[in-house]
Amino acid sequence: MRLTPRFVWAVLVFGAMGCIQSIRCKPRSFRESVGVLEVNSSIDSNPTSIDESSSVVLRYRTPHFRAAAHVLVPPVAGKETWTVGWIQACSHMEFYNKYGDKGMSSWELPDLRDGKIQAISDSDGVNYPWYGNTTETRTIVGPTKKDTKFIVSMNDNFYPSVTWGVPVSDSNVPQLTSIRRDQSFTTWLVAINQGTGEMLVLQTIRWRMQLHIEIDTNKPLGQRSRLREPIAQEQPQILGKNEPIPPNALVKPNANDAQVLMWRPKNGEPIVVIPPKY
Ligand SMILES: *[C@@H]1O[C@H](CO)[C@@H](O)[C@H](O)[C@H]1NC(C)=O
Ligand SMILES: *[C@@H]1O[C@H](CO)[C@@H](O)[C@H](O)[C@H]1NC(C)=O
């Protein structure tokens, strides 16, 4: 194309106007320029698998939740250090193991159960507030001259053991009749300025894992359990509008350290079987 004087004039005027209106000709800040190119999130389609090889505990393994984001950070002008990655919190937990008419054991997060907090950190317990620090985060140390593009990813699943016998007795006599679990999580893609602590929420994902296993203890080991609904999990939701991160999602204790195992007999007072770790 031949550049006519009129065309060149138009480019100069509109170019200058764009510069004046939006960014006053300074390099754009990290806040204005960090971009999420793509986000994927899903729960694997395989059903929960159940392992009855132990005469002491039943084990099960749920499908994996996965999240991955392709992020673009344009050149960082100053000496700023930013970490971009995943933060996860549990916002609801029901986890009941029923032992016929004896009662049930349940894993509980007391502050969440009692409505004292909105969500509890699901950090690995080392890299607060991050969910992990291998594939889950990426740190950019400014100044940088070029775009930085990278993928941060995370995954989660449950792999617990549940005793066949009532947890407050010494007996291994199998009495477990059902397992029910319903847990909800929020997972955020976040950028944090390591110097100032400034935090930008780039993406918010909500997901849930539900489980129901029925157990017939009259049957021999290896043939006792049946996976009931839901065989397939609901898929995660990538929200159109980001949600703020509640304070307890960012600090100690995490869900692992705060959870307690209760024995709730059909008649009588509940007993703490395993106290919190912190
Ligand atoms: C998202 O999923 C698509 C299709 O499987 C894949 O091609 C792409 O690389 C994924 N992106 C990220 C950021 O994981
Ligand atoms: C992960 O965190 C540990 C402990 O804080 C640290 O020693 C290690 O260097 C970190 N790894 C990465 C890849 O950042």
Side-chain angles (χ1 to χ4, degrees), residues 124 126-127 132-134 137 139:
D124 61 3
V126 181
N127 299 288
N133 79 338
T134 52
T137 59
T139 297

Side-chain angles (χ1 to χ4, degrees), residues 19-216:
C19 184
I20 289 160
Q21 282 172 0
S22 62
I23 45 182
R24 297 185 305 276
C25 300
K26 277 192 193 154
R28 292 201 294 159
S29 70
F30 186 94
R31 170 183 278 280
E32 290 163 321
S33 58
V34 62
V36 180
L37 303 177
E38 188 178 30
V39 187
N40 292 340
S41 183
S42 60
I43 292 178
D44 290 354
S45 59
N46 59 290
T48 294
S49 64
I50 305 171
D51 173 0
E52 294 189 23
S53 59
S54 159
S55 59
V56 182
V57 291
L58 174 153
R59 294 192 185 89
Y60 62 85
R61 197 189 285 267
T62 63
H64 280 89
F65 161 81
R66 299 181 194 278
H70 195 185
V71 180
L72 181 142
V73 176
V76 176
K79 277 191 180 170
E80 296 171 28
T81 300
W82 288 85
T83 301
V84 178
W86 296 102
I87 292 174
Q88 180 166 281
C90 174
S91 55
H92 181 80
M93 174 153 116
E94 287 172 51
F95 185 169
Y96 304 129
N97 311 305
K98 204 170 167 210
Y99 293 83
D101 57 9
K102 298 280 189 306
M104 68 176 192
S105 70
S106 76
W107 283 102
E108 299 176 13
L109 295 163
D111 286 354
L112 194 64
R113 178 195 64 203
D114 299 343
K116 288 185 192 157
I117 57 175
Q118 241 183 298
I120 186 161
S121 165
D122 201 18
S123 159
D124 61 3
V126 181
N127 299 288
Y128 286 96
W130 306 106
Y131 182 75
N133 79 338
T134 52
T135 63
E136 295 87 353
T137 59
R138 176 70 176 261
T139 297
I140 298 100
V141 181
T144 55
K145 291 210 172 82
K146 293 184 186 157
D147 287 354
T148 315
K149 276 192 205 171
F150 53 89
I151 290 174
V152 279
S153 65
M154 61 158 295
N155 69 72
D156 191 10
N157 79 331
F158 309 146
Y159 184 31
S161 306
V162 182
T163 55
W164 292 112
V166 169
V168 286
S169 78
D170 292 331
S171 145
N172 279 342
V173 174
Q175 292 188 297
L176 181 65
T177 48
S178 80
I179 298 173
R180 274 181 192 275
R181 191 159 178 174
D182 185 356
Q183 250 173 288
S184 299
F185 297 87
T186 310
T187 308
W188 293 272
L189 179 67
V190 178
I192 297 180
N193 183 316
Q194 298 296 358
T196 63
E198 183 185 0
M199 188 182 296
L200 309 174
V201 176
L202 306 173
Q203 209 78 56
T204 310
I205 300 173
R206 282 223 206 103
W207 64 281
R208 179 179 187 182
M209 187 74 73
Q210 287 173 279
L211 187 69
H212 181 195
I213 298 171
E214 270 183 1
I215 297 138
D216 182 350

